[in-house]
Amino acid sequence: MKRKMFLLSLMAVFGLMAINAQKTVVSKKTTQDEIFLKVDEMPSFPSNGNGINHYLASNMRYPKDAEKQGIEGRVIVTFVVEKDGSITNVDIIRNAHPSLDKEAKRIIEGMPKWNPGKIDGKPVRTKFTLPITFKLR
């Protein structure tokens, strides 16, 4: 019985040490390079009276090959809004067609600086996901 209690106590001590080690690692992370998915204030497109849909419509050049073939689709793009609002790490996470994917990436990479995401009032790097729909008229 004493041996069983000793083993249980020993396991509990090691378990607490492992939990504390994990907490220490988490608390030592620098938010300088960390990319957040959830923030107090999400990044926003600088609208100036027009929103992101206006930007996309004004800057989209429907790829000729996709237009000729009657190809439509939705491309889902992720990117990081940096602390200064610039856009980096553009990645296509749902493809539609190679030409549409390439155009979606071009549009996102050419966007003006956004208003950055914030935690406790301080700008942080934030991952953002945006669907872009290509529809022939």
Side-chain angles (χ1 to χ4, degrees):
M1 184 72 164
K2 285 184 181 182
R3 183 180 172 130
K4 197 178 215 181
M5 288 300 287
F6 175 73
L7 287 174
L8 286 174
S9 298
L10 195 57
M11 288 175 25
V13 169
F14 283 122
L16 289 173
M17 287 172 60
I19 291 170
N20 285 335
Q22 288 175 353
K23 285 182 182 176
T24 303
V25 171
V26 170
S27 66
K28 286 186 179 180
K29 277 187 182 176
T30 60
T31 58
Q32 214 164 358
D33 295 328
E34 192 172 355
I35 298 172
F36 293 89
L37 299 175
K38 292 184 178 183
V39 292
D40 298 338
E41 186 179 325
M42 286 299 289
S44 61
F45 185 80
S47 64
N48 297 333
N50 299 318
I52 190 156
N53 290 333
H54 181 264
Y55 169 81
L56 294 174
S58 300
N59 290 280
M60 183 184 294
R61 289 184 249 143
Y62 213 100
K64 297 284 185 210
D65 64 330
E67 187 176 15
K68 285 179 186 175
Q69 296 175 40
I71 296 173
E72 300 178 335
R74 174 179 276 171
V75 179
I76 300 181
V77 184
T78 62
F79 53 92
V80 173
V81 179
E82 297 289 343
K83 292 178 186 181
D84 67 354
S86 61
I87 304 300
T88 62
N89 301 356
V90 179
D91 192 28
I92 306 296
I93 62 168
R94 181 173 174 233
N95 303 58
H97 180 271
S99 297
L100 300 180
D101 300 343
K102 185 176 178 182
E103 178 61 7
K105 189 169 184 175
R106 183 195 69 79
I107 293 170
I108 298 299
E109 288 175 340
M111 283 194 295
K113 288 187 175 185
W114 282 42
N115 302 312
K118 295 180 182 178
I119 293 179
D120 294 331
K122 296 178 184 174
V124 293
R125 301 176 77 207
T126 311
K127 189 170 190 174
F128 200 88
T129 302
L130 183 69
I132 301 176
T133 302
F134 290 86
K135 183 102 173 125
L136 293 167
R137 296 178 186 174

